[in-house]
Structure formats: C-alpha cells, structure tokens
C-alpha cells in the first residue's frame, strides 16, 4: 500500500463536529494510503456522504499489534472512549471519532486535522538555561548531542492545561509532542489507543502544572464527569461498552482522586513519566 497522499484541497468539509460524526459514521470510506510512521496500521482515507467529503484516519482492529499491558484488539475502542470523555468535558479536545466497519473490518475512524496553514504559537521548545521564561512550563532536560542538554518546555497555554487534565482522567500512557495538533484556535490531542488502563500509567509531556491547583473550570468539569460516571448514567454506560468494568471503576477513582486533591497530578516512581521518543 502506498504512503499516504493527501486528498486534493477544496473538498467539502463538515461544517460542525456533529456533521463530521455523521459523515464518518455513514460515509463511504476509501483508503488513499498508509501512515508509514505509525506502529499500528493507520490508513489515510477519504469519506463521502450526501455531497460532503473529508479526509480521515482509519485504524482497523485487525492492524493492531499486541501489547503486553493492554488486552489484544482493544485500541480502537479506547480511542473511541477517549473521544466520549472529551465530549463529556465540553472541551472538544479529541477530533470527531466513530467506531465503524471499513475495508479492513471494524476500526476507529477519526477526522483528519490538517492544522493551520500559517505558523501559530509554539507549544513545545528547547531552551538554554535551567528555568523557563514567562509563558512557558518546564518538562525536563533533554540530551541534544555532543554531551549537551537543553531544557524542554511547553507553553503555559490553557488549552494544553485542559488536555493535561483530560490525560490524567483517561490515564494516557503516551502523550507525545507529535500528538498535539492545532487548527485555528482549537487544540486537538490524537492517538489515544493506550489509555484507560486500570493501573497508573500516565506518561506525558504536559507535566508543567504538576502539583499546582486545578483551575476552577477543571474542578467544575471533573464534578460533571463524576456525575456522568455514576451508576446508570449515560457516560458510564457508554464507556462500559468500550472498556472493561475494572477500567471504568479505575476511571471513576481517578476523577474522585483529582477532586479530592484539587491538584494536577505529579509523576510517580513506578512508571516512566515521559514517553519515548518525547516528540
């Protein structure tokens, strides 16, 4: 299969997230190529329905590689679960996503995010010195070759801060810099296959707020999530179709723990805190 080539510009794009979900779920899916850099099968596709067309990513369950710490054949469902939780927060941090049948069987189908046509604000940077400048948060020191190190920083950006909270909730084990996409003023996180494990596996670049108080907005959102995950509540029931019972229980416990502490989580000692490669 050829490497992915983008579909021509000027196609009719969905006008809203709701339109995108309908297009992804009902449209005709045509594989255009494969994203070669991905560890699992990631197919670049076009999807068309009733005169609308967009680019999307299709990740068939059949193309998932087994992982030692996640049940086989569950990554697509975890991506879907991450979208459901993102939507429940009201932050819209995960691109429109559906589970559907496709040319290679059931899989996750997600709207392709092109990103801005012009350069926007930087989200990550390597800087000299031991402390970040105003507007930046420190992640840690990185080896830049020839025995030199530089400080890896991320922007002190409210969109990233929301994503850090979402990652803590879904227990994201792989938040790399390449998983951060911007489109206009919106920020999206992608690649959520290794999430929702019942054990603590949070691995992220977004540690800049570790130990700091959660924003009032985050506390309100977490309270709504707790209600939505209650017995018989719609979100909890939906997630029970996508991840295991113990994983749903662990999700509830993480939300409760964040509300009880009122703080952004800090790295633990039993699991690498930063993914590799970080970007």
């Amino acid at each position: 299969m050829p490497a992915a080539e983008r579909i021509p510009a000027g196609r009719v794009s969905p006008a809203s997230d709701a339109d995108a979900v309908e297009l992804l779920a009902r449209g005709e899916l045509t594989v255009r190529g494969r994203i070669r850099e991905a560890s699992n099968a990631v197919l670049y596709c076009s999807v068309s329905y009733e005169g609308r067309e967009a680019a999307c990513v299709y990740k068939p369950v059949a193309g998932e590689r087994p992982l030692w710490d996640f049940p086989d054949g569950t990554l697509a469902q975890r991506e879907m679960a991450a979208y459901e939780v993102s939507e429940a927060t009201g932050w819209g941090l995960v691109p429109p996503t559906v589970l559907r049948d496709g040319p290679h069987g059931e899989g996750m189908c997600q709207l392709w995010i092109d990103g801005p046509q012009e350069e926007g604000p930087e989200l990550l940077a390597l800087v000299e010195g031991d402390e970040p400048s105003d507007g930046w948060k420190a992640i840690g020191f990185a080896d830049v070759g020839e025995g030199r190190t530089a400080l890896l920083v991320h922007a002190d950006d409210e969109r990233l801060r929301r994503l850090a909270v979402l990652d803590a909730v879904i227990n994201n084990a792989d938040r790399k810099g390449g998983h951060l996409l911007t489109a206009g003023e919106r920020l999206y996180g992608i690649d959520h296959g290794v999430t929702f494990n019942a054990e603590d596996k949070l691995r992220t670049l977004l540690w800049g707020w570790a130990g700091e108080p959660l924003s009032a907005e985050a506390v309100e959102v977490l309270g709504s999530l707790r209600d939505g995950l209650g017995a018989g509540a719609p979100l909890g029931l939906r997630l029970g179709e996508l991840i295991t019972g113990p994983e749903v229980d662990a999700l509830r416990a993480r939300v409760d723990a964040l509300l009880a502490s009122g703080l952004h989580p800090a790295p633990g000692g039993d699991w690498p805190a930063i993914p590799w490669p970080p970007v």
Side-chain angles (χ1 to χ4, degrees), residues 10-134:
R11 301 296 182 107
V12 179
S13 299
S16 67
D17 285 1
D19 287 339
V21 168
E22 180 184 47
L23 176 59
L24 292 170
R26 298 188 178 185
E28 180 180 357
L29 199 60
T30 303
V31 176
R32 302 290 183 179
R34 181 171 181 172
I35 309 298
R36 296 292 189 185
E37 299 82 5
S39 56
N40 297 292
V42 180
L43 304 178
Y44 179 76
C45 302
S46 61
V47 60
S48 58
Y49 179 69
E50 294 187 343
R52 291 172 290 162
E53 187 164 14
C56 62
V57 170
Y58 164 50
K59 299 182 181 181
V61 172
E64 295 178 6
R65 294 183 181 180
L67 298 173
W68 68 269
D69 51 348
F70 285 84
D72 292 350
T74 67
L75 304 190
Q77 289 91 330
R78 294 171 193 279
E79 296 242 30
M80 186 70 217
Y83 174 70
E84 296 283 6
V85 174
S86 170
E87 288 300 284
T89 66
W91 288 333
L93 293 169
V94 178
T97 306
V98 302
L99 280 177
R100 59 163 292 171
D101 194 34
H104 300 283
E106 184 182 43
M108 185 279 289
C109 191
Q110 187 173 86
L111 188 70
W112 179 270
I113 304 299
D114 268 321
Q117 299 301 310
E118 299 178 359
E119 291 294 325
E122 280 189 291
L123 297 177
L124 297 168
L126 284 168
V127 299
E128 301 292 337
D130 296 334
E131 296 291 336
S133 59
D134 289 346

Side-chain angles (χ1 to χ4, degrees), residues 2-269:
E5 295 184 5
R6 296 190 182 184
I7 61 175
R11 301 296 182 107
V12 179
S13 299
S16 67
D17 285 1
D19 287 339
V21 168
E22 180 184 47
L23 176 59
L24 292 170
R26 298 188 178 185
E28 180 180 357
L29 199 60
T30 303
V31 176
R32 302 290 183 179
R34 181 171 181 172
I35 309 298
R36 296 292 189 185
E37 299 82 5
S39 56
N40 297 292
V42 180
L43 304 178
Y44 179 76
C45 302
S46 61
V47 60
S48 58
Y49 179 69
E50 294 187 343
R52 291 172 290 162
E53 187 164 14
C56 62
V57 170
Y58 164 50
K59 299 182 181 181
V61 172
E64 295 178 6
R65 294 183 181 180
L67 298 173
W68 68 269
D69 51 348
F70 285 84
D72 292 350
T74 67
L75 304 190
Q77 289 91 330
R78 294 171 193 279
E79 296 242 30
M80 186 70 217
Y83 174 70
E84 296 283 6
V85 174
S86 170
E87 288 300 284
T89 66
W91 288 333
L93 293 169
V94 178
T97 306
V98 302
L99 280 177
R100 59 163 292 171
D101 194 34
H104 300 283
E106 184 182 43
M108 185 279 289
C109 191
Q110 187 173 86
L111 188 70
W112 179 270
I113 304 299
D114 268 321
Q117 299 301 310
E118 299 178 359
E119 291 294 325
E122 280 189 291
L123 297 177
L124 297 168
L126 284 168
V127 299
E128 301 292 337
D130 296 334
E131 296 291 336
S133 59
D134 289 346
W136 294 91
K137 292 284 189 177
I139 302 167
F141 289 96
D143 183 354
V144 293
E146 299 180 354
R148 298 169 52 245
T149 61
L151 185 64
L152 181 61
V153 297
H154 66 68
D156 188 4
D157 185 305
E158 187 59 34
R159 300 170 302 171
L160 285 180
R161 191 171 186 178
R162 290 171 175 171
L163 190 60
V165 173
L166 178 66
D167 282 343
V169 168
I170 67 176
N171 198 17
N172 192 349
D174 194 32
R175 174 61 72 209
K176 296 176 180 175
H179 299 165
L180 305 174
L181 303 176
T182 56
E185 295 184 355
R186 293 190 68 170
L187 170 76
Y188 293 100
I190 61 169
D191 285 354
H192 297 106
V194 286
T195 50
F196 295 101
N197 201 295
E199 299 180 6
D200 182 16
K201 291 185 178 291
L202 183 60
R203 251 189 342 178
T204 177
L205 287 180
L206 304 180
W207 287 118
W209 298 279
E212 293 186 12
L214 295 166
S215 69
E217 177 194 46
V219 171
E220 182 179 356
V221 165
L222 290 167
S224 296
L225 276 181
R226 179 166 60 186
D227 293 341
L229 291 168
L235 179 61
L237 293 175
R238 174 58 176 147
L239 293 177
E241 300 171 351
L242 299 168
I243 57 178
T244 69
E247 288 168 342
V248 175
D249 291 341
L251 170 61
R252 293 188 180 106
R254 288 192 297 272
V255 172
D256 287 342
L258 286 167
L259 284 168
S261 71
L263 304 174
H264 284 269

